[in-house]
Amino acid sequence: MPYLGSEDVVKELKKALCNPHIQGDRLRYRNVIQRVIRMPGVQEYIQQPILNGLRDKASYVRRVAVLGCAKMHNLHGDSEVDGALVNELYSLLRDQDPIVVVNCLRSLEEILKQEGGVVINKPIAHHLLNRMSKLDQWGQAEVLNFLLRYQPRSEEELFDILNLLDSFLKSSSPGVVMGATKLFLILAKKFPHVQTDVLVRVKGPLLAACSSESRELCFVALCHVRQILHSLPGHFSSHYKKFFCSYSEPHYIKLQKVEVLCELVNDENVQQVLEELRGYCTDVSADFAQAAIFAIGGIARTYTDQCVQILTELLGLRQEHITTVVVQTFRDLVWLCPQCTEAVCQALPGCEENIQDSEGKQALIWLLGVHGERIPNAPYVLEDFVENVKSETFPAVKMELLTALLRLFLSRPAECQDMLGRLLYYCIEEEKDMAVRDRGLFYYRLLLVGIDEVKRILCSPKSDPTLGLLEDPAERPVNSWASDFNTLVPVYGKAHWATISKCQGAERCGPELPKTSSFAASGPLIPEDNKEREQEFPDSGALMLVPNRQLTAEYFEKTWLSLKVAHQQVLPWRGEFHPDTLQMALQVVNIQTIAMSRAGTRPWKAYLSAQDDTGCLFLIELLLEPENSEMQISVKQNEARTETLNSFISVLETVIGTIEEIKS
Amino acid sequence: MISQFFILSSKGDPLIYKDFRGDSGGRDVAELFYRKLTGLPGDESPVVMHHDGRHFIHIRHSGLYLVVTTSENVSPFSLLELLSRLATLLGDYCGSLGEGTISRNVALVYELLDEVLDYGYVQTTSTEMLRNFIQTEAVVSKPFSLFDLSSVGLFGAETQQSKVAPSSAASRPVLSSRSDQSQKNEVFLDVVERLSVLIASNGSLLKVDVQGEIRLKSFLPSGSEMRIGLTEEFCVGKSELRGYGPGIRVDEVSFHSSVNLDEFESHRILRLQPPQGELTVMRYQLSDDLPSPLPFRLFPSVQWDRGSGRQALNVRLHLPLPRGVVSLSQELSSPEQKAELAEGALRWDLPRVQGGSQLSAPLLPPSFNGPPSHGLSTSAPPLGLGPASLSFELPRHTCSGLQVRFLRLAFRPCGNANPHKWVRHLSHSDAYVIRI
């Protein structure tokens, strides 16, 4: 290898690079640059040939040289940006060769990473738009991505651009179509009807990708379909047949399709969709069968009667893997939709013979305990479990059994007293698992206190329909995910993506990197857009609230009195609500509740606290006056930092806004 | 922006590895990828995986894994498209894509990758531009085949076989070696349809979906113009109707960007100047209204329902059975057929089914208290039986009825005989499900 040697080899190399013949042989020229560029210490030799290459007559050499600039820059990460070089690259955006143009954008993006990437101003944007048709599909997709950061000045200009882009929505390359769609969605941020229109037009290409021969493409398209469905639930309803599974498809595609079917169900297609899902329940693959049953359970929240009937029929199959999932589905369903309790109670008898696993047993025992008064043979089923408690392997099942039996004892004391005694005796005297024993002792002492006390503690509500609302995310506006469209975010799923970017974020926030670089390093996102995302997803952005930072009430009071109000705001608020819901929602974003008035009291007050990862403390008071329909928010902060304060307030606003929406 | 690209064999051996940016890992990423892929829980998708700040995106193609890694949040559509384009490109240059061809042509593959991607950015994928830079020639193995002997013909007479191209004829490298002048000028045109059908237990159609493609593989020197004539009754969309015969209607059509559609409106002729290599000229979709009757019906039995003289190949029936069925007795009509129980389902293989024939396989599971064949005469079938799915290939048949009328070349090669033109029509099943 001539490149790895001593001083004179480098000299030789330098000579070779200046040799016009070698430059004439494009292939060799390019390969030399490609390899040499990875070696530290040759920069001084490589610089001149690359700069010459930028002005070479052959477009092939220019392409390589343009990217060579980026390689050179990255090799010396700490070196300052060469202004002349940047200007030269900007001027090369007007090059004749389309690939040189795209390479210039890529190269500038890398060189100017610290400053936030290449700047797309009006002349550049329009120049690129006009050159679009000359590019191949890869270039088009890339330029569309760069154009995302351009903000048109006027409405007129905006619609001019949209008209220019129109033809790319019809491209035969899915990458270009999706890139154009994303650009449409972002540019038409303020025009929801334009966004809806674009999503209608992209329906065809997306559906074609969903039934494409390439499974990978199909999977990615399905993920995007789900993303769209979150905002426009009815969008694909008439095409539900496209999402029926075929038996030869791999597991992960089937699961996605079932999820999509679940989400697009409406009054017209519910019959057919359920019919199809029922077919999957008897699938040879147990995993897929279970996923299908859970899906029916999900649909049951809206179309309860039909689904409960199907689920009941499935119990008739008497197969373990099906019965256990059906019973678990019933448990969740009864909690969310109390109106189906009667039907579930009638279906339950007999299925205890076909349940062997822990989850299924727990679900069944819970149902028998809570709704035991409606199931005639409930005590006898539980008695079987009590008989066999010694051979029971799962501690969780034993705990569930204790609670269930005690609950049933309250409603049917005569039938349960004897076996409750036996179970308690076993748990306290013979059981080895500490948690079970503790639970047994606890119930024993509770019973000693008196039956009224037991009732007060165990007779909790038997259902909570509001939980379903919290679980079901409300329809999200298109703008909340437009910037994630055509990226990896929908493919991973938002939750998984958050963990991924969190670990990446942790790596980036190391001391050696300045803050701006971590900002730009987050990829092809545009700066303006970044800001928005931070507001929407405070957990992954600048503000990081620390979980479980519970302050004592005294400390809170002391700090509250010593600080001044940093921010005060009034939000619209109407009608009654459940304070627990609010508390739970705040908990999700790591805002702790210190104290809260009871529901219905006027004026209603709540004191909250939160702390971010830098130690900055926020104290909040919520005040609901009886006469006006507004909620007053006062925030105090122990360090005066407006940035974090602003992002914190937007978090709080989002939470309260969400609760307000759920309520109405 | 791509950090690395590698190709793994189906067993996970790295065949090709290329690092474009020198910023990550090293060769053991390939191993890491395979470990992650095989250790993935069943409900997670393997298409996009994440490890330590690096995303792995891959496609499976002819038993190989083509993988790219990237550290940025890129467009998955573009990347997958690039991977499948790379697969076609490698297939074009090496003849066909497979473990053997890749390992025989390592130098060529690296050379191609060097030209297609620079510093992780796509430069070009057009066969036309690339051929200027590619110096290495493909190594093609020519396995001994009996077919070569049989096509010679007895005493030089032309046999039937010489008029039919061997099925492997299209799998050879696009770039003819410069020395070898005897290479044939050939064009292969395939009309391929994938059929996914769902039939309810009462025989009514619930869903029909046909995905069709016209694929062209050209070995002609590029720039030669050709015209493809489609059936004149062909129409797009619901409103338009042509001719008096039964129209051939599709819902949506998209063409490759190089297709000239000037004569499409009037005469249904596609004009194009294809580059060498493989190209999808036209894609179309058709759902719900099928002009021709469906190829298979299953009453109590499977019936192959087309005019005689044609045949279906590799028919396989897959029928999940209720749990508890452990064996079954069978009476099959020919020894070629095979029926066996596997994973709680029945598999019935029929290598060949003649057109218009009706086949029955009285299968009687012993623990099954029903009529001998799954008759629908008595009560409803037990839960857990069905739905049955069929997979098959139908040569010389398109479900939409679309045919290629002619394929004309404007180009006349000097010296050589007329270029060979091969046209194939084929339908195969994507999902053909019959509820019982």
Side-chain angles (χ1 to χ4, degrees):
Chain A
M1 289 295 286
Y3 316 134
L4 302 175
S6 57
E7 192 86 346
D8 32 312
V9 173
V10 174
K11 246 180 233 160
E12 188 76 14
L13 177 69
K14 185 188 171 193
K15 219 159 63 184
L17 283 169
C18 301
N19 184 341
H21 295 295
I22 283 193
Q23 282 188 34
D25 186 344
R26 297 153 185 183
L27 191 73
R28 216 172 299 164
Y29 172 81
R30 178 258 176 77
N31 280 348
V32 165
I33 292 188
Q34 243 189 357
R35 294 204 194 130
V36 157
I37 229 123
R38 296 258 181 89
M39 288 173 51
V42 287
Q43 200 202 11
E44 43 185 318
Y45 305 108
I46 213 91
Q47 199 158 13
Q48 204 48 47
I50 284 190
L51 291 180
N52 291 343
L54 288 179
R55 297 183 203 107
D56 201 287
K57 264 193 226 119
S59 59
Y60 182 75
V61 177
R62 287 201 303 274
R63 290 175 202 163
V64 180
V66 166
L67 278 184
C69 297
K71 296 177 194 172
M72 209 162 64
H73 178 83
N74 283 355
L75 194 63
H76 296 261
D78 50 342
S79 68
E80 275 181 28
V81 176
D82 180 357
L85 181 70
V86 169
N87 282 342
E88 175 119 31
L89 285 175
Y90 268 117
S91 67
L92 271 175
L93 283 175
R94 311 233 164 237
D95 196 277
Q96 285 302 309
D97 185 72
I99 300 179
V100 172
V101 175
V102 182
N103 277 356
C104 270
L105 286 172
R106 294 157 167 167
S107 194
L108 280 169
E109 177 74 10
E110 299 224 1
I111 293 173
L112 299 174
K113 210 179 214 171
Q114 313 267 324
E115 279 107 83
V118 53
V119 178
I120 307 284
N121 56 20
K122 189 172 173 179
I124 294 182
H126 285 256
H127 169 70
L128 289 176
L129 279 167
N130 290 328
R131 291 298 298 274
M132 279 286 274
S133 53
K134 298 271 187 304
L135 304 175
D136 63 354
Q137 47 172 322
W138 318 112
Q140 287 176 351
E142 201 125 343
V143 170
L144 284 170
N145 198 23
F146 278 111
L147 282 173
L148 284 173
R149 62 185 67 172
Y150 177 62
Q151 195 72 51
R153 305 281 161 74
S154 65
E155 209 166 290
E156 205 174 324
E157 189 191 353
L158 170 81
F159 282 100
D160 279 348
I161 293 179
L162 293 188
N163 282 333
L164 275 176
L165 286 174
D166 208 68
S167 58
F168 299 102
L169 286 175
K170 296 186 202 110
S171 166
S172 63
S173 143
V176 175
V177 175
M178 297 306 152
T181 309
K182 180 174 181 178
L183 188 54
F184 258 88
L185 292 179
I186 298 272
L187 286 180
K189 227 183 302 185
K190 299 195 185 89
F191 304 93
H193 63 281
V194 177
Q195 288 182 328
T196 323
D197 191 45
V198 170
L199 289 175
V200 169
R201 291 185 52 189
V202 82
K203 223 181 260 207
L206 257 182
L207 284 173
C210 282
S211 44
S212 136
E213 215 166 346
S214 150
R215 285 160 175 183
E216 292 81 11
L217 188 64
C218 171
F219 174 75
V220 170
L222 282 172
C223 294
H224 280 80
V225 166
R226 282 185 64 193
Q227 183 79 79
I228 294 177
L229 280 175
H230 284 317
S231 300
L232 308 163
H235 201 62
F236 291 96
S237 291
S238 51
H239 301 277
Y240 65 95
K241 283 180 188 168
K242 293 263 181 190
F243 302 103
F244 284 1
C245 305
S246 85
Y247 87 107
S248 54
E249 279 166 341
H251 199 59
Y252 58 90
I253 289 196
K254 285 186 185 172
L255 291 182
Q256 279 301 323
K257 284 193 170 174
V258 167
E259 293 275 326
V260 170
L261 281 177
C262 246
E263 280 170 52
L264 55 69
V265 97
N266 66 9
D267 291 351
E268 278 141 44
N269 58 26
V270 62
Q271 204 56 46
Q272 288 86 338
V273 169
L274 283 177
E275 187 109 328
E276 180 73 14
L277 284 175
R278 190 173 59 180
Y280 304 156
C281 293
T282 50
D283 194 273
V284 181
S285 147
D287 285 342
F288 181 51
Q290 298 188 339
I293 296 171
F294 278 126
I296 294 182
I299 297 177
R301 291 178 196 177
T302 336
Y303 302 95
T304 314
D305 294 342
Q306 287 140 300
C307 295
V308 170
Q309 197 195 338
I310 291 176
L311 291 171
T312 313
E313 278 169 24
L314 287 174
L315 284 178
L317 286 172
R318 306 191 155 271
Q319 291 188 11
E320 259 172 45
H321 72 282
I322 293 181
T323 310
T324 169
V325 183
V326 170
V327 171
Q328 288 170 49
T329 315
F330 275 156
R331 173 195 54 194
D332 300 345
L333 205 55
V334 163
W335 184 256
L336 294 174
C337 315
Q339 70 272 22
C340 67
T341 313
E342 197 59 46
V344 168
C345 289
Q346 279 170 9
L348 275 184
C351 57
E352 70 276 1
E353 292 156 26
N354 297 305
I355 298 184
Q356 294 300 329
D357 66 319
S358 160
E359 283 291 318
K361 278 184 186 171
Q362 286 180 53
L364 178 67
I365 293 172
W366 185 87
L367 279 168
L368 291 173
V370 174
H371 298 286
E373 76 274 7
R374 303 201 207 182
I375 307 169
N377 71 340
Y380 308 103
V381 177
L382 287 181
E383 189 162 17
D384 279 345
F385 280 108
V386 174
E387 298 284 305
N388 301 323
V389 74
K390 274 183 198 161
S391 51
E392 179 61 61
T393 42
F394 309 107
V397 175
K398 294 180 190 168
M399 304 237 267
E400 199 65 60
L401 186 60
L402 266 170
T403 314
L405 199 53
L406 196 57
R407 276 201 183 124
L408 196 60
F409 171 70
L410 294 178
S411 54
R412 301 165 76 164
E415 291 156 295
C416 298
Q417 189 171 13
D418 180 45
M419 57 175 153
L420 180 61
R422 270 185 286 153
L423 184 64
L424 281 175
Y425 178 82
Y426 167 80
C427 288
I428 296 168
E429 295 296 325
E430 290 176 39
E431 177 58 45
K432 301 235 165 48
D433 190 283
M434 268 306 140
V436 179
R437 193 166 168 270
D438 270 359
R439 179 76 63 99
L441 275 173
F442 167 67
Y443 285 143
Y444 177 68
R445 289 174 190 143
L446 197 60
L447 283 166
L448 286 183
V449 174
I451 203 74
D452 292 332
E453 198 65 10
V454 179
K455 271 190 187 147
R456 201 174 64 79
I457 288 174
L458 276 183
C459 289
S460 47
K462 293 185 175 182
S463 66
D464 183 10
T466 53
L467 193 65
L469 290 172
L470 259 189
E471 233 176 56
D472 276 345
E475 281 175 34
R476 268 175 264 157
V478 175
N479 283 332
S480 71
W481 50 262
S483 57
D484 292 339
F485 195 78
N486 195 21
T487 66
L488 295 176
V489 182
V491 183
Y492 279 114
K494 211 155 223 171
H496 190 185
W497 179 258
T499 56
I500 290 173
S501 45
K502 217 175 229 171
C503 12
Q504 279 181 336
E507 280 161 33
R508 285 204 192 103
C509 290
E512 74 278 3
L513 283 172
K515 196 167 180 289
T516 42
S517 88
S518 79
F519 193 73
S522 59
L525 295 164
I526 34 174
E528 296 96 319
D529 208 59
N530 246 350
K531 235 179 276 162
E532 265 189 18
R533 299 186 81 223
E534 277 163 22
Q535 285 176 2
E536 281 160 15
F537 314 113
D539 297 323
S540 54
L543 180 78
M544 289 271 288
L545 294 180
V546 187
N548 302 327
R549 190 51 61 94
Q550 193 76 47
L551 302 180
T552 59
E554 295 83 47
Y555 181 74
F556 179 89
E557 200 178 338
K558 213 171 74 198
T559 330
W560 179 263
L561 293 175
S562 67
L563 291 174
K564 276 196 195 122
V565 175
H567 181 89
Q568 205 153 28
Q569 193 178 2
V570 174
L571 287 180
W573 189 268
R574 230 159 276 110
E576 286 302 319
F577 72 107
H578 214 272
D580 292 345
T581 325
L582 182 62
Q583 188 173 354
M584 212 173 342
L586 289 167
Q587 191 85 45
V588 173
V589 292
N590 295 329
I591 299 178
Q592 315 295 334
T593 313
I594 303 290
M596 202 180 251
S597 324
R598 276 195 201 177
T601 39
R602 286 297 138 115
W604 181 87
K605 271 187 186 178
Y607 290 96
L608 318 167
S609 78
Q611 191 169 20
D612 77 351
D613 50 355
T614 60
C616 183
L617 197 65
F618 301 95
L619 306 178
I620 309 99
E621 182 194 51
L622 305 180
L623 179 62
L624 212 55
E625 293 284 358
E627 56 271 16
N628 46 19
S629 54
E630 283 167 349
M631 179 177 284
Q632 191 180 336
I633 304 173
S634 329
V635 181
K636 296 186 181 183
Q637 200 183 14
N638 68 348
E639 295 166 44
R641 295 216 310 257
T642 33
E643 272 166 71
T644 48
L645 180 67
N646 285 339
S647 33
F648 177 78
I649 284 166
S650 70
V651 173
L652 197 62
E653 263 176 50
T654 321
V655 174
I656 291 172
T658 318
I659 297 286
E660 167 86 16
E661 270 167 37
I662 289 178
K663 205 155 52 67
S664 52
Chain B
M1 192 181 71
I2 294 164
S3 302
Q4 287 144 316
F5 170 80
F6 45 91
I7 301 181
L8 300 185
S9 74
S10 53
K11 294 189 196 73
D13 309 318
L15 302 173
I16 299 289
Y17 170 88
K18 181 127 179 92
D19 189 342
F20 291 104
R21 299 184 59 93
D23 58 354
S24 47
R27 269 169 182 276
D28 50 333
V29 224
E31 200 188 312
L32 180 86
F33 164 78
Y34 193 70
R35 248 188 296 136
K36 238 180 129 54
L37 187 77
T38 44
L40 206 68
D43 52 343
E44 266 179 53
S45 110
V47 179
V48 180
M49 292 187 294
H50 176 260
H51 182 85
D52 196 18
R54 192 179 300 139
H55 307 284
F56 292 96
I57 299 168
H58 84 280
I59 63 165
R60 271 206 83 161
H61 202 288
S62 6
L64 300 174
Y65 295 100
L66 282 83
V67 194
V68 292
T69 72
T70 172
S71 52
E72 293 195 356
N73 190 4
V74 290
S75 155
F77 286 100
S78 295
L79 265 192
L80 289 174
E81 211 182 333
L82 174 67
L83 283 175
S84 39
R85 176 65 198 151
L86 272 175
T88 337
L89 206 59
L90 292 177
D92 278 353
Y93 273 87
C94 305
S96 65
L97 195 60
E99 211 176 317
T101 43
I102 292 291
S103 47
R104 268 195 297 277
N105 291 300
V106 171
L108 174 64
V109 173
Y110 278 117
E111 203 172 346
L112 263 174
L113 284 177
D114 261 342
E115 296 303 329
V116 171
L117 288 154
D118 187 5
Y119 208 40
Y121 295 112
V122 192
Q123 300 298 300
T124 177
T125 56
S126 102
T127 324
E128 224 27 53
M129 281 172 86
L130 286 170
R131 64 179 302 167
N132 299 329
F133 309 125
I134 302 297
Q135 314 277 333
T136 319
E137 277 173 24
V139 183
V140 189
S141 73
K142 284 196 177 120
F144 173 76
S145 117
L146 277 178
F147 200 86
D148 294 340
L149 287 182
S150 63
S151 65
V152 172
L154 209 54
F155 310 115
E158 254 200 16
T159 54
Q160 192 60 36
Q161 271 102 335
S162 61
K163 287 185 183 157
V164 183
S167 59
S168 62
S171 48
R172 62 182 167 92
V174 177
L175 289 189
S176 52
S177 48
R178 286 164 182 85
S179 56
D180 185 11
Q181 289 299 319
S182 66
Q183 279 287 17
K184 285 188 217 161
N185 287 313
E186 284 180 308
V187 187
F188 296 87
L189 189 67
D190 285 352
V191 183
V192 182
E193 295 191 346
R194 287 187 300 134
L195 196 63
S196 54
V197 174
L198 180 63
I199 302 172
S201 50
N202 59 6
S204 66
L205 268 181
L206 290 178
K207 166 195 168 188
V208 186
D209 215 359
V210 178
Q211 306 274 330
E213 261 180 9
I214 300 186
R215 276 189 226 145
L216 180 79
K217 184 151 184 176
S218 156
F219 294 97
L220 298 175
S222 45
S224 52
E225 190 182 275
M226 64 174 69
R227 288 152 37 103
I228 303 171
L230 303 178
T231 326
E232 294 226 36
E233 289 85 25
F234 181 73
C235 55
V236 182
K238 294 226 157 94
S239 52
E240 203 182 358
L241 264 182
R242 288 173 156 262
Y244 299 102
I248 291 162
R249 189 190 57 77
V250 299
D251 291 338
E252 257 180 77
V253 183
S254 67
F255 298 96
H256 189 264
S257 53
S258 69
V259 178
N260 185 336
L261 293 174
D262 289 348
E263 286 177 81
F264 183 70
E265 272 309 305
S266 51
H267 297 104
R268 299 300 176 201
I269 292 173
L270 310 173
R271 236 177 25 183
L272 69 160
Q273 298 188 343
Q276 286 195 327
E278 211 175 303
L279 178 77
T280 303
V281 178
M282 177 173 126
R283 259 182 240 274
Y284 56 94
Q285 291 161 45
L286 165 60
S287 48
D288 293 338
D289 289 333
L290 207 61
S292 59
L294 283 169
F296 288 97
R297 267 188 267 161
L298 186 97
F299 314 110
S301 56
V302 183
Q303 190 183 8
W304 164 212
D305 198 41
R306 287 294 302 165
S308 54
R310 303 194 181 177
Q311 49 177 270
L313 298 178
N314 301 328
V315 180
R316 166 177 288 182
L317 178 83
H318 178 97
L319 178 68
L321 295 173
R323 296 225 160 181
V325 175
V326 283
S327 67
L328 78 174
S329 61
Q330 45 180 322
E331 292 167 44
L332 300 174
S333 46
S334 87
E336 264 191 324
Q337 302 179 9
K338 244 186 347 193
E340 55 189 49
L341 273 176
E343 294 169 3
L346 166 74
R347 230 178 57 194
W348 182 22
D349 289 334
L350 305 153
R352 221 164 260 273
V353 179
Q354 273 303 322
S357 64
Q358 188 167 346
L359 292 172
S360 63
L363 304 166
L364 178 62
S367 63
F368 186 70
N369 302 323
S373 56
H374 312 310
L376 299 174
S377 51
T378 53
S379 58
L383 275 160
L385 177 70
S389 37
L390 277 172
S391 62
F392 53 84
E393 285 168 37
L394 303 177
R396 286 182 285 158
H397 174 71
T398 52
C399 290
S400 63
L402 180 73
Q403 303 276 334
V404 173
R405 269 188 302 152
F406 60 80
L407 170 66
R408 274 183 211 140
L409 304 172
F411 158 84
R412 288 275 170 274
C414 44
N416 237 330
N418 266 349
H420 292 270
K421 301 174 286 188
W422 308 105
V423 180
R424 263 198 304 195
H425 294 93
L426 175 75
S427 294
H428 63 101
S429 61
D430 192 25
Y432 200 95
V433 179
I434 303 158
R435 287 192 190 147
I436 294 180

